[in-house]
Amino acid sequence: QVQLVESGGGLVQAGGSLRLSCAASGGTLSSYNMGWFRQAPGMEREFVSAVTWNGRGTVYADSVRGRFTISRDNAKNTVYLQMNSLKFEDTAVYYCAGGMTGWDNGMVGYDYWGQGTQVTVSS
Protein backbone atom coordinates (compact mmCIF):
# COMPACT_ATOMS: atom_id res chain seq x y z
CA GLN A 1 0.00 0.00 0.00
CA VAL A 2 1.55 3.27 -1.12
CA GLN A 3 1.58 6.00 1.50
CA LEU A 4 2.13 9.63 0.53
CA VAL A 5 3.44 12.35 2.82
CA GLU A 6 3.49 16.01 1.82
CA SER A 7 5.88 18.57 3.24
CA GLY A 8 7.10 22.08 2.56
CA GLY A 9 4.01 24.07 3.37
CA GLY A 10 4.07 27.16 5.52
CA LEU A 11 3.37 30.86 5.76
CA VAL A 12 4.68 33.11 3.01
CA GLN A 13 4.03 36.66 1.86
CA ALA A 14 2.30 37.34 -1.40
CA GLY A 15 4.81 37.21 -4.22
CA GLY A 16 6.92 34.66 -2.44
CA SER A 17 7.72 31.05 -3.23
CA LEU A 18 7.37 27.64 -1.68
CA ARG A 19 8.36 24.17 -2.79
CA LEU A 20 6.15 21.29 -1.79
CA SER A 21 7.36 17.73 -1.71
CA CYS A 22 5.43 14.48 -1.73
CA ALA A 23 7.37 11.44 -0.64
CA ALA A 24 6.13 7.90 -1.02
CA SER A 25 6.68 4.84 1.11
CA GLY A 26 5.42 1.29 0.90
CA GLY A 27 5.71 1.23 -2.86
CA THR A 28 7.09 2.96 -5.91
CA LEU A 29 5.55 5.98 -7.61
CA SER A 30 7.13 5.22 -10.96
CA SER A 31 4.00 3.51 -12.29
CA TYR A 32 1.64 6.32 -11.40
CA ASN A 33 0.65 9.66 -12.72
CA MET A 34 0.92 12.09 -9.84
CA GLY A 35 -1.20 15.11 -9.10
CA TRP A 36 -1.46 18.03 -6.73
CA PHE A 37 -4.78 19.28 -5.45
CA ARG A 38 -5.78 21.97 -2.99
CA GLN A 39 -8.71 22.70 -0.76
CA ALA A 40 -9.49 26.06 0.77
CA PRO A 41 -11.85 26.39 3.76
CA GLY A 42 -15.45 25.89 2.72
CA MET A 43 -14.45 24.99 -0.82
CA GLU A 44 -14.29 21.77 -2.75
CA ARG A 45 -10.96 20.13 -3.44
CA GLU A 46 -9.66 21.34 -6.77
CA PHE A 47 -7.10 20.13 -9.25
CA VAL A 48 -3.83 22.05 -9.43
CA SER A 49 -1.39 20.09 -11.56
CA ALA A 50 -0.39 16.61 -12.70
CA VAL A 51 2.63 14.88 -14.17
CA THR A 52 2.80 11.64 -16.10
CA TRP A 53 4.49 8.57 -14.67
CA ASN A 54 7.68 9.27 -16.66
CA GLY A 55 7.69 13.01 -16.10
CA ARG A 56 7.35 13.83 -19.77
CA GLY A 57 3.87 15.30 -19.61
CA THR A 58 2.43 17.97 -17.33
CA VAL A 59 -0.86 19.80 -17.03
CA TYR A 60 -1.91 22.78 -14.94
CA ALA A 61 -5.06 24.50 -13.81
CA ASP A 62 -5.52 27.88 -15.45
CA SER A 63 -5.21 29.59 -12.08
CA VAL A 64 -1.62 28.39 -11.53
CA ARG A 65 -0.23 27.99 -15.04
CA GLY A 66 2.95 30.01 -15.45
CA ARG A 67 3.49 30.27 -11.68
CA PHE A 68 3.62 26.64 -10.52
CA THR A 69 5.84 23.84 -11.80
CA ILE A 70 5.33 20.17 -11.12
CA SER A 71 8.20 17.69 -11.34
CA ARG A 72 9.17 14.28 -10.11
CA ASP A 73 12.22 12.24 -9.26
CA ASN A 74 11.32 8.57 -9.51
CA ALA A 75 14.71 7.55 -8.13
CA LYS A 76 13.81 9.42 -4.95
CA ASN A 77 10.16 8.36 -5.07
CA THR A 78 9.20 12.00 -4.72
CA VAL A 79 7.05 14.54 -6.52
CA TYR A 80 7.46 18.30 -6.21
CA LEU A 81 5.40 21.42 -6.72
CA GLN A 82 7.38 24.63 -7.08
CA MET A 83 5.08 27.55 -6.38
CA ASN A 84 6.21 31.04 -7.37
CA SER A 85 4.49 34.42 -7.34
CA LEU A 86 2.11 33.19 -4.69
CA LYS A 87 -1.17 34.97 -4.22
CA PHE A 88 -3.53 35.21 -1.27
CA GLU A 89 -5.99 33.03 -3.15
CA ASP A 90 -3.45 30.20 -3.26
CA THR A 91 -4.03 29.71 0.46
CA ALA A 92 -5.25 26.14 0.99
CA VAL A 93 -4.33 22.68 2.16
CA TYR A 94 -2.36 21.05 -0.64
CA TYR A 95 -2.64 17.33 -1.27
CA CYS A 96 -0.67 15.02 -3.50
CA ALA A 97 -2.27 12.02 -5.11
CA GLY A 98 -1.25 9.13 -7.32
CA GLY A 99 -3.03 6.84 -9.73
CA MET A 100 -2.40 5.02 -12.97
CA THR A 101 -5.19 6.87 -14.74
CA GLY A 102 -5.23 10.12 -12.81
CA TRP A 103 -4.94 13.29 -14.82
CA ASP A 104 -6.85 16.58 -14.85
CA ASN A 105 -10.40 15.25 -14.55
CA GLY A 106 -10.78 16.15 -10.92
CA MET A 107 -10.05 13.36 -8.48
CA VAL A 108 -10.95 10.64 -10.99
CA GLY A 109 -8.27 8.00 -11.32
CA TYR A 110 -6.32 8.88 -8.19
CA ASP A 111 -6.11 5.99 -5.77
CA TYR A 112 -3.59 7.20 -3.21
CA TRP A 113 -3.75 10.43 -1.24
CA GLY A 114 -1.58 12.19 1.27
CA GLN A 115 -2.79 13.97 4.40
CA GLY A 116 -2.06 17.44 3.08
CA THR A 117 0.18 20.36 3.94
CA GLN A 118 -1.05 23.86 4.75
CA VAL A 119 0.00 26.77 2.56
CA THR A 120 -0.91 30.22 3.82
CA VAL A 121 -0.19 33.32 1.76
CA SER A 122 -0.44 36.65 3.54
CA SER A 123 -1.52 39.66 1.54
Side-chain angles (χ1 to χ4, degrees):
Q1 181 78 2
V2 174
Q3 293 183 325
L4 304 176
V5 178
E6 302 93 338
S7 61
L11 174 65
V12 63
Q13 289 187 333
S17 298
L18 283 175
R19 188 195 195 201
L20 304 183
S21 298
C22 172
S25 62
T28 177
L29 294 182
S30 61
S31 299
Y32 303 115
N33 292 345
M34 297 297 297
W36 285 97
F37 293 75
R38 65 187 182 187
Q39 188 167 17
M43 304 293 286
E44 292 187 352
R45 193 170 299 188
E46 66 173 358
F47 171 80
V48 174
S49 181
V51 59
T52 55
W53 64 274
N54 58 6
R56 294 178 181 174
T58 59
V59 63
Y60 297 92
D62 290 343
S63 58
V64 306
R65 187 177 294 112
R67 299 188 297 121
F68 291 10
T69 303
I70 191 171
S71 62
R72 65 190 299 161
D73 186 337
N74 285 343
K76 295 183 178 179
N77 230 15
T78 302
V79 180
Y80 305 97
L81 186 68
Q82 177 67 44
M83 305 187 296
N84 298 329
S85 302
L86 282 161
K87 304 176 181 180
F88 175 76
E89 50 265 40
D90 294 319
T91 296
V93 177
Y94 282 72
Y95 299 88
C96 71
M100 296 187 72
T101 61
W103 198 232
D104 64 350
N105 184 22
M107 295 186 284
V108 175
Y110 290 97
D111 302 309
Y112 304 105
W113 291 84
Q115 294 300 306
T117 185
Q118 176 71 48
V119 172
T120 303
V121 184
S122 62
S123 58

